[in-house]
Structures are given as structure tokens and as C-alpha cells.
Amino acid sequence: MALRILCILLAVSLLASPLAADHPEHARHAMVAAQEPLATDVGVAVLRAGGNAVDAAVAVAFALAVTHPSAGNLGGGGFLLLRLANGESTFLDFRERAPAKSTHDMYLGPGGKPTGDSITGWRAAGVPGTVSGLETAHRKFGSKPWAELVAPAARLARGFPISYAFAKSLESHAELLNRFPESKRIFLRNGKYYEPGEIFAQPELRRTLERIARGGAHEFYEGETARKLAEAMEANGGLITAGDLKSYRTVERKPLTGAYRGYSIITAPPPSSGGVGLLQMMGMLEGTNYQDNGAESAAAIHFVAEVMRRYYADRSEYLADPDFFRVPVSRLLDKKYIAARRSTIQPGKASTSAEIRAGNVALAESSETTHLSIVDEKGNAVALTYTINGGYGCGVTAPGLGFLLNNEMDDFAVKPGEPNMFGLVQGESNAIQPNKRPLSSMTPTILLKDGKLFMVVGAPGGSRIITGVLQVILNVIDFGMNVQDAIDAPRFHHQWMPDRLYLERGFSPDTIALLKARGHTVDSASSVANVEAVVVQPDGWLAGGSDRRAHGKAAGF
Ligand code: DON
């Protein structure tokens, strides 16, 4: 009898768990999920020493600039979303800005054709925001001395063992890095590529970090670092001047907020397109019971893909730097508008992107990035995504400074109506203007359940960030997966143009056939974002998930 009951209980518990579970990392007090293990360890050490989530985020971001230079950076920009344990939240926008000398057609050559200068070389870089953003975060919310948070990065710059993944990443970007002597010398050892296990020392970067540890953001924007950077720009035909650096400011913005199926969502406002995207797509999904079709079913994928298609059409038209363009956020998130968009979705048939235009919203109202998610012992949470855009940015290492520069200028509509590096077709709203911030897809997001912290999430992945973050959240909320399973599950992506449904590996041929039968043009995607997330479990434990598509680590104590 007892055995029978045991068997029944076992069967029930097996049925209750959706799939064979891949376990997240568990910790009682605090957790860091970041895309490079040494940097994760730096964050955990700061938290163990009593630092708060912002302290840890600052230290991890500086460390990633050393150990994960394809994306971690001093020469780029990003967004930091913070929710304090007392319930307040804020958003720091330290996105790069177009240099003052920028012009609408600066990347168009004869015949109006894009020259590629927005992607590679000195002219591709926007004015970096990272050091300003990290200092602002620390000044307002940090608790440990600044120098203590920069120190671990400077130490790592003395040398750390190269991982297999990093060695391969450098090798695969050799063509780009080879074009710029300082990058070739530092990252490719002038052609004698680093082997896994060798020690990688970056003395120029170490000195830059030590100066920043002493002089803060002032050193980066007005000190020796600024002077050297501006001089090198001038000597190499770049656009960033001493004046651009001096006038750079981090902007504190109000996060966007919304709700989905009883969860509160706190997310990134413009100049991110991500928060609007997330909330609009969730709005279209809510109440449809699409999830009853089951995770990874063709019917569910179809419905979510149609939702994605509709949002990206709006993105192309209505999203941009809010300081330059009146982004109609509340119209785009209006319940009636969303219901009207939803009503054009047919469960059995794909729309074509040609027939889906951006919705009619009256303008009446006023291939490398990285993400870290952190929760500290008190329940403060940070979601930070920052980037130099492409892997190793524009390829240029600032001479004598040791850090790579971004190619964020390509996130503008270099030629409105034509696809950018991520195939995104964008409109005049996101055209280049001096001092403007290019539209971003970065989507650092925090979820609450019953007013309490539930999830911290975000990702790199270009235009696929928004859909990647969406799917991980849906996997947790709608399909009951643990955070690691939610991240591991195969993902898909649709961005309106090109009219393609991109699928990662892992969907069954039967599912793909059903999607094709509905009229989708299916294509393969090597990956749809790399997600780092932390979930607060009902028992109070923290569960950390780190994307197996990348080489990061979740850890805590
Ligand atoms: O801000 C953006 O949307 C892009 N610059 C992000 C680039 C990115 O995620 C590339 N990484 N894979």
C-alpha cells in the first residue's frame, strides 16, 4: 500500500515538472549572473564583503572590460536598471551619444550607398558612456569606496588565464582586429595568437583603470584618458573631440512599468526600444491563452511570432532617443491599440510583413553586448546591459589606453529605410543627429510578484535581445520552467523585416513543418540572445541562470 502511494506521488511529481530540469545555481543570500566567470567571482566577492548590488554591478562591469573585451567595456555604453529593496526603482541611461560633428548622411558614399564606416574604424564610435554611468550609479547608490570596486579589474588586467572560449573568440575576430595596429598588438599578439591557458596581461588597460580608480569619471572625460583619446581621434579621422567627452552626461530616467498576468514589470524606457517592445508584446499575448498550446508547440510559436512581427513594425517607426523625438510610449502601450493589433493575428496563418505596417499611432503625446543580473542580501536588484555593439566594437583600441571603442553609430538609421548590421529597418526618427543617442534593443528588466522582487533578467543579442528576454520570461511565467530551463529552451525570433521566422537549433522537424504550413518563411538562427537571470523562489532562495549559449556563470552565497 505504502509503495503504491509512493509510486503515485512520484508519478504526480514527475508530471508536475514540465521537462527534465537543468538546475539553476542556488544561493541563500545573494547572486550574480554574468557572462564571464572571473567577473562573476569579482561580483560575489564584493557582495560577500558587504557591498550592495550596485557596488557589485560596478565591479563586475569593470572586470568584464578586462576579461570579456568583446563586449565588456570602457569604450561603450549601456543601461542600468535598479530596484531597491525599499521599492524604489530607477534607470540610468549611459548610452553613447553621436559626436557633435555628426551629420545625417555621414556614412553615405557616392550614390547614397552606406560606406560601412558606421561599423568599422575610428568614425564608427559614439561618445562612450560606460565610465560615467558606473560612476553615477556608484555616487547615488553605492556603499563601498569607488577605488575598491575598480581594483579587481585592474588586478585582472595584470594577467589572467585565457579560456578556450576567449582564445577562439579572439581568433575568429582576427580579421577586424588585424586592421588596427594597437588591437593587433594587444589582442592578437601581432599574429602569434593566444592559446587557452596562456596569461593575458593588459598593461595599458591596467594603467587606465588605475587612473580611473583614483580620478573617477573626471579622469576618463577630462583627464589624461580624455586627452589621449581626443588626440588619437583627431590623428585618425575620428569624430570624438575633447568637448564631446567633457559634455557627456548619464541621464537618469523613469523606468517603464507594466503588468503581465499578475506580475509587475519594470523595464527599459527609450532610448531603449526594449521595454516598449516587451510590454507591447506581453499586452498582445495576455488573455489569449496561447500558452495552452504548450511550450515549443507550433501554435504557440506562431502566435508569439505574429506578436513580434507587429511590435517590430512599430519599432521601426516610433522609437528613438526621447530627447530628440517624441516617442509615443503611452499610445504604443494603450490597451485599445494593443487589442486592435492583436485582432489582426490569425491563429492558423502567418501574416506577411508587407501587409503589417507600423500601427496608426498619432504622435500626439508629449553581435556583442553583455548583461549582468545581480541580487544582494537585502533584496536590491540590478540589471545592467552594456555594449560596444559588434564583437570588439569598431575594432579600434585607443592607443596607450588599452580599451576598444564601440561602433554604436550603426544603431542609428544610417540610411532610413535600409537595414543595419542587425537587419533592422529603421526610420527617420532614429536618423543621425549631433549629440543624439542611437536607438537600442537592450532590455534590462525586473519583475515583481505581489510587490516583491521576483526576477532580474537581460541579455545581449542585438535586435534579438527583446525577443530573447520575452521568451525567457514567458517560459518562467507561462510554462512554469525554472530559470535555467527557461534560458536553455530553444528560442525563435521575428523582427518584421526581413519577413523571416528565425529558429534556433532544437525545434523538431514536425514543429518546423507546421510553422511552414502556416505560411512562415523559416530560417535558422545561431542564437537568439544570451540571457543572464536571477529568480527569487517562493522559499526565498535565489536561483541563478546563465545562458549555455555563452560562457558565463551564475554564482552566489
Ligand atoms: O543597443 C543595441 O541594441 C545593440 N548595440 C546591442 C548589440 C548587441 O547586443 C550585440 N550582441 N550580440
Side-chain angles (χ1 to χ4, degrees):
M1 182 66 184
L3 190 65
R4 261 183 65 191
I5 292 174
L6 201 69
C7 287
I8 291 169
L9 282 177
L10 189 66
V12 168
S13 75
L14 285 176
L15 281 175
S17 58
L19 298 163
D22 187 356
H23 297 292
E25 190 63 28
H26 284 105
R28 190 76 193 91
H29 303 283
M31 177 77 75
V32 177
Q35 284 195 317
E36 197 286 317
L38 296 168
T40 297
D41 292 344
V42 164
V44 174
V46 168
L47 292 167
R48 270 189 191 280
N52 66 24
V54 171
D55 293 325
V58 169
V60 174
F62 276 118
L64 285 166
V66 178
T67 59
H68 186 52
S70 63
N73 67 82
L74 305 182
F79 302 133
L80 185 154
L81 177 66
L82 168 68
R83 180 181 185 268
L84 294 168
N86 69 11
E88 284 169 30
S89 59
T90 192
F91 180 82
L92 298 180
D93 165 4
F94 53 99
R95 181 79 165 154
E96 298 92 328
R97 283 197 335 194
K101 278 194 270 186
S102 310
T103 58
H104 187 278
D105 294 336
M106 63 192 279
Y107 299 118
L108 301 185
K113 270 181 62 139
T115 58
D117 284 1
S118 65
I119 298 178
T120 310
W122 292 86
R123 281 163 54 80
V127 184
T130 295
V131 178
S132 163
L134 297 180
E135 192 193 64
T136 306
H138 177 260
R139 181 167 29 83
K140 296 195 160 204
F141 306 104
S143 69
K144 290 272 177 195
W146 169 255
E148 242 175 68
L149 304 176
V150 189
R155 223 169 14 249
L156 285 163
R158 287 183 184 276
F160 66 91
I162 293 220
S163 66
Y164 180 84
F166 184 29
K168 291 295 150 194
S169 158
L170 286 171
E171 221 178 294
S172 69
H173 289 82
E175 199 189 316
L176 173 69
L177 295 167
N178 252 321
R179 294 171 63 167
F180 304 98
E182 190 81 341
S183 303
K184 183 176 173 184
R185 178 177 69 76
I186 293 175
F187 295 104
L188 302 177
R189 212 163 40 181
N190 283 323
K192 202 171 156 286
Y193 296 160
Y194 282 99
E195 296 281 339
E198 282 194 277
I199 300 297
F200 182 45
Q202 303 172 80
E204 295 86 0
L205 181 58
R206 175 176 58 75
R207 285 195 290 275
T208 300
L209 285 164
E210 285 170 354
R211 286 197 306 278
I212 291 172
R214 285 192 302 272
H218 184 270
E219 156 58 29
F220 188 90
Y221 293 94
E222 295 184 59
E224 183 181 334
T225 308
R227 187 171 48 71
K228 284 192 168 148
L229 181 54
E231 277 169 15
M233 279 280 159
E234 192 169 358
N236 292 281
L239 297 171
I240 299 173
T241 62
D244 285 324
L245 290 165
K246 192 171 172 191
S247 65
Y248 184 85
R249 294 287 177 273
T250 290
V251 181
E252 187 166 4
R253 301 186 192 274
K254 207 163 132 4
L256 278 186
T257 53
Y260 180 66
R261 299 193 64 202
Y263 293 81
S264 308
I265 320 284
I266 307 170
T267 187
S272 170
S273 59
V276 171
L278 205 58
L279 296 179
Q280 199 192 73
M281 291 192 284
M282 287 175 157
M284 282 190 254
L285 292 173
E286 183 147 22
T288 61
N289 294 327
Y290 85 95
Q291 69 273 15
D292 292 352
N293 294 295
E296 290 165 38
S297 64
I301 295 170
H302 165 76
F303 201 87
V304 178
E306 289 301 312
V307 159
M308 292 173 176
R309 182 200 307 276
R310 281 157 181 76
Y311 160 65
Y312 276 84
D314 276 353
R315 182 193 189 281
S316 75
E317 192 75 26
Y318 295 122
L319 281 143
D321 181 349
D323 296 342
F324 285 74
F325 178 80
R326 288 167 91 187
V327 183
V329 174
S330 59
R331 301 288 175 120
L332 290 167
L333 298 179
D334 178 76
K335 279 202 159 65
K336 279 204 198 109
Y337 172 68
I338 288 177
R341 293 294 265 178
R342 183 198 299 126
S343 71
T344 63
I345 299 175
Q346 296 176 264
K349 188 168 175 293
S351 310
T352 64
S353 289
E355 73 188 280
I356 300 295
R357 312 306 305 183
N360 189 8
V361 176
L363 293 172
E365 76 178 284
S366 48
S367 219
E368 195 77 34
T369 301
T370 191
H371 177 83
L372 46 114
S373 292
I374 299 182
V375 177
D376 71 20
E377 206 160 1
K378 297 212 168 65
N380 302 302
V382 168
L384 186 155
T385 314
Y386 75 150
T387 183
I388 43 178
N389 199 19
Y392 303 92
C394 69
V396 171
T397 302
L401 299 175
F403 61 84
L404 285 153
L405 293 165
N406 67 82
N407 56 353
E408 223 70 58
M409 292 296 281
D410 194 65
D411 274 350
F412 281 116
V414 164
K415 184 169 186 184
E418 288 212 0
N420 76 351
M421 191 162 109
F422 301 111
L424 283 170
V425 176
Q426 314 184 88
E428 195 55 43
S429 53
N430 187 33
I432 303 172
Q433 285 174 262
N435 301 322
K436 187 174 172 182
R437 287 155 143 91
L439 181 61
S440 173
S441 298
M442 293 186 285
T443 315
T445 297
I446 293 174
L447 278 73
L448 312 178
K449 174 87 178 136
D450 303 323
K452 293 209 188 79
L453 182 67
F454 174 68
M455 185 175 188
V456 187
V457 58
S463 57
R464 299 171 182 181
I465 292 172
I466 315 170
T467 52
V469 169
L470 172 73
Q471 285 168 81
V472 172
I473 296 174
L474 298 179
N475 285 345
V476 170
I477 294 182
D478 292 344
F479 298 115
M481 296 185 200
N482 76 45
V483 66
Q484 190 62 54
D485 281 340
I487 291 172
D488 290 347
R491 294 195 278 266
F492 53 94
H493 173 76
H494 201 301
Q495 61 178 44
W496 175 57
M497 296 283 188
D499 192 345
R500 290 222 177 345
L501 176 56
Y502 294 96
L503 302 176
E504 286 184 340
R505 243 185 1 195
F507 293 102
S508 79
D510 302 3
T511 307
I512 296 171
L514 288 168
L515 288 164
K516 286 183 178 162
R518 281 177 165 79
H520 289 283
T521 306
V522 170
D523 210 334
S524 62
S526 56
S527 77
V528 174
N530 292 313
V531 176
E532 303 291 323
V534 181
V535 162
V536 185
Q537 297 184 164
D539 63 4
W541 280 70
L542 300 170
S546 185
D547 209 317
R548 311 265 192 250
R549 295 162 183 80
H551 302 275
K553 179 168 105 171
F557 69 95

